[in-house]
């Protein structure tokens, strides 16, 4: 006897939609079959799309920038995630400058993440690292991670990675995630909000990408939040290079910085020109993953200063990520937000609807409409006021309803170790 039958939906399995039934036993998908079999609970999914839970590879819950803290913690952020069909998030440890700080950074974030309602994993993060890179990578793997993020900018807050460390890391059996902006072309002290994009220009992204291509060794390069079509063009179709972009770079342009409330939209790297955004859309098939870079701050913090350099950078987007991308690209987007993330980061048994996989599922009404309102703990959304086609109806985390016909239930996320071993790093 199965616990749940998701009956009669259009099920995304093996890379396409099939009219079939999903049978769940405990935390796992037990069977996908066109046969009607007995189950304790039958959920009518007719007219609905049944898809694997979204995996967001790039979130910052409770990110402490010193002068401001992102307003979603793991509880409120995961609540927003559930409403958007997201069942796993990958967050970042605080930046460290030596491998001896790794354990503490891990424990600190683990304590925060215990409040997550959905599953979670971590990436290690380096600041101005001066330690031993090989020891670091060994430690990262021992803690169940397989990725280390670095910044090629943020020298003003001492988070910029030294070139020698970056080169060594790019030769290691680990995923090197890079926030790519050439620091010498970035003006962190830029005050004018309306022209904010000029302070972190496209040229800064492209120069950093050129350098990364030169530095790449035997390891895997994953470039986070690529903001431009030209950036994707530089990176695409290279061995062991993965490209992540974010919903906001496809859906908004730098024109919003000129609005009276332009400060609400500040993030790094910034939104680009309409031409670059169009080019990015045209290259969607070259993008491997979609991460939100979910990092919301309140209106008071975003509008609290007329000086761009004093406004915390980052926006929210976890609740709307699938909707925004599905409205732009349809079903082409699903693998980039599920299976491909799981495969790149080694999240075994996640990201697909197949027997023996975790029963992380969301039910989506393609004929519904979502009026975008507030999300999580934030008091605004960059998409507020827009109506998008489709609606997330229910979300299951490992076989338990976290969202059921719009109603939230208590669920508890768990830490997911990367299953990638040293040889595949
Ligand atoms: O502006 C952004 N993206 N804030 C989040 C931190 C980062 O750089 O990813
Ligand atoms: Zn970044
Ligand atoms: Zn980020």
């Amino acid at each position: 006897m199965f616990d749940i039958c998701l009956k009669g939906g259009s099920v995304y399995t093996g890379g396409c939609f099939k009219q079939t039934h999903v049978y769940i036993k405990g935390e796992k998908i037990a069977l996908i079959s066109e046969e009607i079999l007995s189950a304790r609970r039958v959920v009518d999914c007719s007219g609905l799309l049944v898809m694997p839970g979204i995996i967001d590879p790039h979130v910052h819950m409770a990110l402490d920038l010193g002068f401001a803290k992102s307003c979603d913690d793991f509880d409120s952020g995961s609540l927003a995630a559930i409403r958007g069909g997201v069942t796993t998030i990958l967050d970042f440890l605080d930046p460290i400058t030596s491998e001896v700080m790794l354990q503490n950074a891990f424990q600190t974030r683990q304590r925060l993440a215990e409040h997550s309602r959905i599953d979670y994993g971590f990436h290690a993060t380096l600041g101005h690292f001066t330690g031993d890179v090989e020891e670091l990578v060994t430690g990262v793997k021992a803690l169940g991670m397989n990725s280390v993020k670095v910044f090629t900018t943020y020298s003003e807050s001492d988070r910029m990675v030294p070139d020698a460390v970056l080169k060594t890391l790019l030769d290691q059996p680990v995923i090197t995630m890079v926030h790519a902006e050439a620091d010498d072309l970035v003006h962190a002290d830029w005050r004018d909000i309306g022209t904010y994009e000029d302070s972190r220009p496209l040229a800064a992204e492209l120069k950093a990408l050129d350098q990364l291509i030169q530095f790449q060794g035997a390891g895997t390069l994953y470039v986070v939040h690529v903001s431009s079509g030209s950036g994707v063009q530089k990176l695409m179709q290279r061995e062991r290079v993965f490209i992540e972009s974010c919903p906001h770079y496809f859906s908004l342009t730098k024109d919003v910085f000129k609005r009276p409330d332009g400060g609400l939209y500040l993030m790094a790297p910034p939104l680009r020109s309409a031409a670059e955004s169009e080019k990015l859309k045209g290259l969607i098939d070259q993008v491997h993953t979609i991460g939100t870079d979910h990092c919301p701050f309140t209106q008071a913090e975003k509008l609290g200063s007329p000086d761009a350099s004093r406004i915390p950078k980052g926006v929210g987007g976890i609740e709307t990520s699938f909707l925004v991308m599905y409205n732009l690209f349809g079903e082409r987007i699903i693998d980039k937000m599920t299976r491909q993330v799981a495969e790149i980061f080694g999240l075994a048994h996640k990201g697909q609807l197949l027997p023996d996989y975790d029963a992380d599922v969301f039910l989506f009404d393609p004929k519904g409409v979502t009026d975008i309102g507030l999300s999580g703990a934030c008091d605004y959304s960059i998409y507020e006021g827009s109506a998008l086609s489709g609606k997330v109806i229910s979300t299951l985390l490992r076989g338990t309803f976290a969202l059921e016909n719009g109603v939230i239930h208590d669920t508890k996320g768990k830490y997911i170790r990367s299953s990638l071993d040293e040889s595949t790093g």
Side-chain angles (χ1 to χ4, degrees):
M1 170 84 90
F2 299 104
D3 292 322
I4 298 176
C5 169
L6 302 175
K7 185 176 169 216
S10 191
V11 179
Y12 191 79
T13 178
C16 60
F17 283 102
K18 290 181 191 140
Q19 204 63 38
T20 188
H21 317 298
V22 178
Y23 292 94
I24 296 170
K25 203 171 169 101
E27 298 197 335
K28 296 282 183 186
I29 294 170
L31 182 71
I32 298 180
S33 170
E34 283 159 40
E35 257 187 89
I36 298 285
L37 301 163
S38 55
R40 278 188 190 87
R41 172 147 186 223
V42 177
V43 179
D44 180 10
C45 296
S46 42
L48 301 182
L49 304 184
V50 180
M51 292 182 272
I54 301 298
I55 306 174
D56 190 333
H58 189 154
V59 304
H60 301 277
M61 302 304 176
L63 174 71
D64 195 349
L65 291 177
F67 69 109
K69 194 190 247 194
S70 63
C71 59
D72 264 333
D73 59 17
F74 277 87
D75 180 33
S76 64
S78 60
L79 201 52
I82 286 165
R83 293 192 188 281
V86 180
T87 51
T88 305
I89 47 176
L90 301 180
D91 200 295
F92 295 83
L93 306 188
D94 291 336
I96 56 172
T97 53
S98 156
E99 68 281 4
V100 297
M101 298 167 73
L102 179 66
Q103 187 76 32
N104 188 44
F106 181 82
Q107 281 168 356
T108 304
R109 198 117 284 258
Q110 183 71 273
R111 271 196 293 276
L112 297 172
E114 272 164 17
H115 300 282
S116 180
R117 295 160 177 265
I118 59 175
D119 288 349
Y120 56 89
F122 302 127
H123 313 291
T125 307
L126 305 189
H128 185 80
F129 189 84
T130 52
D132 183 312
V133 173
E134 286 185 22
E135 291 279 322
L136 168 81
V137 171
T138 305
V140 163
K141 285 170 185 276
L143 290 168
M145 300 174 285
N146 196 49
S147 39
V148 179
K149 184 202 190 187
V150 300
F151 305 97
T152 64
T153 187
Y154 293 152
S155 56
E156 76 284 358
S157 50
D158 212 22
R159 285 182 288 165
M160 182 171 149
V161 68
D163 277 359
V165 171
L166 177 55
K167 272 191 200 157
T168 311
L169 197 55
L170 282 166
D171 218 13
Q172 296 294 309
V174 74
I175 300 169
T176 301
M177 303 176 79
V178 185
H179 171 132
E181 292 180 287
D183 197 60
D184 58 332
L185 298 183
V186 167
H187 304 273
D189 56 355
W190 195 274
R191 296 172 65 93
D192 183 47
I193 295 169
T195 55
Y196 170 68
E197 197 257 351
D198 293 343
S199 74
R200 315 186 79 96
L202 175 61
E205 179 163 275
L206 300 182
K207 183 174 175 186
L209 297 180
D210 280 335
Q211 190 171 53
L212 286 173
I213 290 163
Q214 268 182 28
F215 281 5
Q216 203 193 355
T220 299
L221 167 64
Y222 178 106
V223 184
V224 298
H225 53 45
V226 178
S227 66
S228 62
S230 297
V232 171
Q233 223 165 16
K234 270 200 191 291
L235 293 170
M236 65 194 206
Q237 286 165 358
R238 291 178 182 275
E239 288 282 300
R240 289 173 287 102
V241 175
F242 294 111
I243 304 169
E244 175 198 273
S245 190
C246 314
H248 41 264
Y249 298 121
F250 295 91
S251 52
L252 295 168
T253 69
K254 66 177 183 173
D255 294 346
V256 297
F257 299 140
K258 297 237 180 279
R259 292 170 39 157
D261 61 354
L264 295 178
Y265 298 87
L266 296 198
M267 81 282 287
L271 300 166
R272 300 297 180 194
S273 65
E276 277 301 331
S277 182
E278 283 307 310
K279 192 166 170 181
L280 180 64
K281 280 186 237 178
L283 291 171
I284 184 65
D285 290 338
Q286 305 299 329
V287 173
H288 298 91
T289 64
I290 301 299
T292 55
D293 199 4
H294 183 79
C295 190
F297 295 90
T298 61
Q299 288 195 58
E301 286 165 314
K302 298 294 279 192
L303 300 177
S305 171
D307 176 349
S309 70
R310 300 171 76 97
I311 296 175
K313 311 301 182 303
V315 296
I318 200 162
E319 183 165 340
T320 48
S321 60
F322 178 75
L323 267 176
V324 169
M325 296 308 283
Y326 184 77
N327 272 256
L328 287 171
F329 301 108
E331 65 185 76
R332 270 200 292 176
I333 210 64
I334 301 169
D335 283 347
K336 298 178 196 304
M337 301 183 80
T338 56
R339 180 179 61 79
Q340 284 172 199
V341 183
E343 286 177 359
I344 290 169
F345 292 103
L347 310 177
H349 308 291
K350 296 245 180 235
Q352 295 194 70
L353 299 184
L354 288 174
D356 205 32
Y357 273 62
D358 285 359
D360 295 340
V361 189
F362 75 109
L363 310 180
F364 185 78
D365 178 2
K367 295 214 169 78
V369 174
T370 303
D371 295 313
I372 309 294
L374 299 182
S375 147
C378 198
D379 57 357
Y380 81 99
S381 157
I382 54 172
Y383 301 107
E384 208 171 324
S386 46
L388 294 173
S389 301
K391 196 171 183 60
V392 175
I393 303 293
S394 298
T395 303
L396 287 94
L397 175 72
R398 285 181 277 106
T400 298
F401 277 92
L403 177 76
E404 185 177 8
N405 295 317
V407 177
I408 290 284
H409 297 300
D410 272 348
T411 46
K412 186 153 176 52
K414 70 173 187 194
Y415 176 58
I416 306 295
R417 294 178 70 95
S418 172
S419 64
L420 295 179
D421 64 27
E422 293 179 25
S423 59
T424 57

